[in-house]
Amino acid sequence: KAFAQFLTDEIKEEKKIQKHKSLPKVSGGWELEVHGTEAKLVRKIAGEKITVTFNINNSIPPSADDEPQEEQKPDEQEPELTSTPNFVVEVIKDDTKQTLVLDCHYPEDEVGHEGEEESDIFTIREVSFQPTGESDWKDTNYTLNTDSLDWALYDHLMDFLADRGVDNTFADELIELSTALEHQEYIKFLEDLKSFVKCQ
């Protein structure tokens, strides 16, 4: 009973601080599909289809200050949780059998440095070609890790993405969308947990 009551209060609180009643839009003509915790953004431009896929599971970085919770005064607002998921960009050209796949992520130390216009808020981790239309990617396909990459080539890859609408603005909006989706799923989880707990 106590558990169910706690969950009821918790759901009320979470709904109070919920920023978006419906998921925020991503500008630039992206269409959104959501399947549970996985979201997919699709955009078509001349002769190409660009899809960006991400999953909100494990997308909230561990909080930096591991202060014991008791320190918190009751009226203090909890720090806002932000979801910064890894995301995969696929560029499919109509006339090739190959898809260029770019695995991107938000570096933990970069998030929240506003004012540094120069730095990108996301980085490309890996790049590979995969056969178009195959759901299972092959480990036997060469995967380029960007850690040791020529920076000029890396810059071209970033520009290539930016030309297709995947730039800092997009990455910011993706954080906003992902955070809203994560919160929505969290509330739904609490509601499911409540009915599960109450079920005799």
Side-chain angles (χ1 to χ4, degrees), residues 90-161:
E90 294 170 62
V91 181
I92 303 157
K93 287 189 187 275
D94 292 349
D95 47 4
T96 68
K97 301 269 182 294
Q98 285 183 315
T99 298
L100 183 65
V101 178
L102 302 102
D103 199 336
C104 304
H105 79 138
Y106 295 95
E108 275 172 34
D109 51 348
E110 290 301 321
V111 177
H113 291 323
E114 270 80 46
E116 289 181 26
E117 275 310 294
E118 289 311 299
S119 75
D120 289 300
I121 60 174
F122 71 97
T123 59
I124 302 170
R125 259 208 299 223
E126 292 181 345
V127 189
S128 68
F129 279 111
Q130 298 295 345
T132 301
E134 299 218 358
S135 52
D136 291 333
W137 290 341
K138 297 179 173 48
D139 286 339
T140 50
N141 288 10
Y142 178 75
T143 299
L144 173 69
N145 190 311
T146 56
D147 287 345
S148 52
L149 196 59
D150 177 329
W151 62 266
L153 175 51
Y154 181 84
D155 281 349
H156 276 296
L157 285 168
M158 287 298 272
D159 290 343
F160 178 83
L161 283 182

Side-chain angles (χ1 to χ4, degrees), residues 50-79:
I50 296 102
T51 68
V52 177
T53 318
F54 65 91
N55 194 316
I56 56 153
N57 281 336
N58 304 316
S59 65
I60 294 182
S63 54
D65 45 5
D66 293 323
E67 289 294 301
Q69 286 299 296
E70 292 80 61
E71 300 297 307
Q72 212 171 20
K73 296 176 185 62
D75 55 346
E76 271 183 38
Q77 265 291 300
E78 286 191 15

Side-chain angles (χ1 to χ4, degrees), residues 5 14 17 28 36 55 61 68 112 128 130 156 161 165 172 184 191:
Q5 186 49 54
E14 288 297 331
I17 60 169
N55 194 316
S128 68
Q130 298 295 345
H156 276 296
L161 283 182
D172 268 334
Q184 181 179 296
E191 286 169 339

